[in-house]
């Protein structure tokens, strides 16, 4: 791992605010202002359980490329308002709430309304951005999706059972209960050995240290309601028609050692919409938290992608 001085500078330059979103919800917003007086805006959108500080190193890379960088903790995550009393439960009523929050973020929080932003979205955030792009035709300059949650890798029987469980739990008022059987997966995410997120030990524990410094950042297993909302959102994404010709360019980065989201679903969605897909051999789920060789591969692909946008 080679955390450079710019990464440290990005952390010190991070500006945090709490903004009122719809339903009078306090959402935590992060801003890394560019020193280049640029009009180019970059928005980072996280996966489930993630938070602003986790992307400080990524923000530093974008600052060196002249971008004004923005991010936020999703509703129910990080230090944004949680949806239910137990902070450890990952819960949302519907991914449509995320879509509305993203629209509010882009139109009411980020001040450069006349600038088309570039977006980097990971996993769950990539699901939200893909739907935003296809359903609302947002005016993005370009979109980069890392390990997007287009589907969850389960066998046919397990997938059917999970969907039935989530649907029944939603109908019967158990939507705020933990998803049963997830304890093992949650415990694996907290220790480096056998974790499914990254092969980079130092970055893994650096993120754990952020949680130790601010314990309220932590989030544990999802609720049945979150799982039901995720299935609904993935189904909605699959039902959307092929991308229109005037859609902005999209780059999908697929981690080939991913056990968290479906690799085949990424190939299917990319083929349907004509999105460019790049494989990352040896990478676990979190490409941007991976070893330097994998991250270097990502930034080469990113630079090539952005060169085609200007």
């Amino acid at each position: 791992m080679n955390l450079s001085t710019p990464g440290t500078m990005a952390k010190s330059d991070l500006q945090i605010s709490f903004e009122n979103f719809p339903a009078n919800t306090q959402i935590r917003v992060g801003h890394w202002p560019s020193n280049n007086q640029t009009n180019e805006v970059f928005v980072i959108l996280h996966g489930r359980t993630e938070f602003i500080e986790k992307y400080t190193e990524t923000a530093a890379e974008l600052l060196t490329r002249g971008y004004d960088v923005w991010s936020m903790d999703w509703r129910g995550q990080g230090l944004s308002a949680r949806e239910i009393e137990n902070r450890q439960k990952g819960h949302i009523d519907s991914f449509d709430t995320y879509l509305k929050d993203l629209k509010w973020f882009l139109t009411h929080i980020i001040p450069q309304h006349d600038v088309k932003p570039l977006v980097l979205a990971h996993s769950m955030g990539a699901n939200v951005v893909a739907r935003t792009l296809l359903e609302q035709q947002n005016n993005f300059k370009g979109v980069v999706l890392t390990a997007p949650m287009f589907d969850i890798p389960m066998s046919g029987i397990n997938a059917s059972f999970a969907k039935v469980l989530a649907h029944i739990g939603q109908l019967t008022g158990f939507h705020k209960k933990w998803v049963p059987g997830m304890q093992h997966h949650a415990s694996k995410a907290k220790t480096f050995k056998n974790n499914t997120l990254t092969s980079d030990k130092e970055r893994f524990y650096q993120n754990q240290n952020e949680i130790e410094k601010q314990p309220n950042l932590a989030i544990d297993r999802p609720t049945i309601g979150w799982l039901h909302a995720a299935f609904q959102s993935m189904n909605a994404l699959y039902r959307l028609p092929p991308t229109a010709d005037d859609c902005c360019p999209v780059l999908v980065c697929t981690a080939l050692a991913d056990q968290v989201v479906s690799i085949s679903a990424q190939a299917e969605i990319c083929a349907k919409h004509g999105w460019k897909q790049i494989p990352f051999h040896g990478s676990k789920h979190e490409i941007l938290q991976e070893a330097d060789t994998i991250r270097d591969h990502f930034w080469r692909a990113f630079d090539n992608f952005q060169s085609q946008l200007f």
Side-chain angles (χ1 to χ4, degrees), residues 101-116:
D101 283 348
L102 178 55
K103 184 175 182 179
W104 184 270
F105 183 52
L106 295 171
T107 57
H108 291 85
I109 304 302
I110 298 176
Q112 295 91 337
H113 300 306
D114 58 338
V115 176
K116 293 182 180 180

Side-chain angles (χ1 to χ4, degrees), residues 52-215:
I52 292 167
E53 288 83 353
K54 190 169 180 175
Y55 286 85
T56 298
E57 187 180 11
T58 301
E61 297 275 8
L62 294 169
L63 287 171
T64 63
R65 289 163 170 79
Y67 290 107
D68 195 50
V69 185
W70 291 79
S71 189
M72 67 172 174
D73 288 343
W74 288 112
R75 179 186 300 252
Q77 295 191 184
L79 297 184
S80 289
R82 297 292 170 98
E83 292 292 276
I84 53 180
E85 185 176 351
N86 187 340
R87 293 187 60 86
Q88 288 297 304
K89 291 183 176 182
H91 181 77
I92 195 68
D93 54 348
S94 167
F95 275 38
D96 289 349
T97 302
Y98 291 143
L99 268 71
K100 292 174 184 175
D101 283 348
L102 178 55
K103 184 175 182 179
W104 184 270
F105 183 52
L106 295 171
T107 57
H108 291 85
I109 304 302
I110 298 176
Q112 295 91 337
H113 300 306
D114 58 338
V115 176
K116 293 182 180 180
L118 278 84
V119 175
L120 169 63
H122 175 63
S123 194
M124 182 193 81
N127 177 288
V128 177
V129 168
R131 284 188 57 195
T132 299
L133 182 67
L134 297 171
E135 293 177 7
Q136 302 177 3
Q137 299 180 344
N138 272 66
N139 205 17
F140 299 133
K141 177 172 286 188
V143 169
V144 179
L145 307 178
T146 60
M149 191 185 76
F150 294 159
D151 204 350
I152 299 173
M154 297 181 181
S155 66
I157 294 176
N158 288 338
S160 298
F161 175 77
K163 290 175 182 178
V164 170
L165 171 69
H167 182 66
I168 293 176
Q170 187 75 11
L171 291 177
T172 56
F174 287 92
H175 55 292
K176 294 182 180 179
K177 301 292 185 181
W178 298 112
V179 174
M182 290 286 290
Q183 293 91 334
H184 177 63
H185 296 284
S187 63
K188 282 174 64 176
K190 296 177 182 177
T191 56
F192 181 74
K193 184 179 180 180
N194 298 323
N195 87 89
T196 59
L197 303 179
T198 175
S199 62
D200 190 285
K201 188 173 185 178
E202 191 172 347
R203 286 189 174 93
F204 178 89
Y205 282 115
Q206 183 185 53
N207 293 324
Q208 295 297 316
N209 290 339
E210 290 291 342
I211 294 174
E212 289 180 9
K213 287 186 290 184
Q214 298 188 82

Side-chain angles (χ1 to χ4, degrees), residues 223-243:
T223 63
I224 290 173
W226 185 94
L227 185 63
H228 179 262
F231 281 133
Q232 293 291 101
S233 189
M234 290 184 291
N235 289 340
L237 182 62
Y238 266 92
R239 290 194 299 266
L240 292 169
T243 309

